Amino acid sequence: MSTVVGADGLARCPWGLSTPDYIAYHDDEWGRPVRDDQGLYERLCLEAFQSGLSWLTILRKREGFRRAFDGFDPVKVAAYGPEDFERLMADASIVRNRAKIEAAIANAGAALALSGGLAAMVWAYADPDAPVPKTSADLPASTPGSKALAKELKKRGFRFVGPTTAYALMQACGLVDDHLADCYRRGAYAR
């Protein structure tokens, strides 16, 4: 499927018109470069929580996640203990999955342990020369770059970071521009 023209006359990636939540995410965030450690840590956590679920579920719970995880401040999250874990498991405003919550806490510590920072490590895998997708069928689930990023993250102690999750992070945070060729947001952000 190629781009779809919305009521406002703008051509968007087809998924970006299905709900108001998706329109806002597509237009204002998806593919915009995220270059700070905290922002990347948040997106990495959210992508991991999304695994096996709808991204719309995560978007609608995002503010709950932010409150529950102290704004995704990795210093605070890395210091979480058993009481924080139990608080998170009881919090209906987030996805309450034991392995994913444990991963978010462990990933905060792994992010802090990176000598150059999470952003520098992740952005080393940016692919500004990725092929321009014309239709949704042209979008891969993973790439050699996302496989390498996932491998590096796992080597550094990160959890819930397979190649598909790594590629979703790359798309969301602007490491690749996967807006379709005719999408009005294609090329809108400096890399």
Side-chain angles (χ1 to χ4, degrees), residues 131-186:
V132 177
K134 293 182 174 64
T135 70
S136 298
D138 296 333
L139 296 171
S142 66
T143 63
S146 76
K147 290 173 186 171
L149 174 57
K151 184 177 178 180
E152 183 67 21
L153 286 166
K154 286 179 185 177
K155 180 177 140 186
R156 304 292 186 124
F158 287 83
R159 302 183 199 169
F160 260 92
V161 290
T164 302
T165 298
Y167 194 66
L169 177 73
M170 292 171 74
Q171 291 174 305
C173 295
L175 281 79
V176 295
D177 184 353
D178 269 353
H179 285 283
L180 300 182
D182 295 331
C183 177
Y184 92 101
R185 297 310 289 168
R186 174 85 199 167

Side-chain angles (χ1 to χ4, degrees), residues 73-145:
D73 179 338
V75 172
K76 291 179 180 177
V77 177
Y80 283 2
E83 288 179 9
D84 295 294
F85 178 80
E86 292 306 322
R87 171 184 56 81
L88 292 166
M89 286 297 295
D91 190 338
S93 72
I94 67 169
V95 173
R96 296 175 287 178
N97 176 294
R98 179 173 300 278
K100 292 176 182 182
I101 291 170
E102 288 172 345
I105 296 167
N107 290 350
L112 294 175
L114 295 170
S115 62
L118 181 61
M121 198 274 290
V122 168
W123 273 89
Y125 294 89
D127 189 0
D129 300 321
V132 177
K134 293 182 174 64
T135 70
S136 298
D138 296 333
L139 296 171
S142 66
T143 63

Side-chain angles (χ1 to χ4, degrees), residues 24-41:
Y25 181 65
H26 173 274
D27 290 2
D28 301 329
E29 188 171 355
W30 192 72
R32 179 174 288 187
V34 176
R35 294 188 175 274
D36 66 290
D37 288 350
Q38 188 165 334
L40 278 163
Y41 169 68

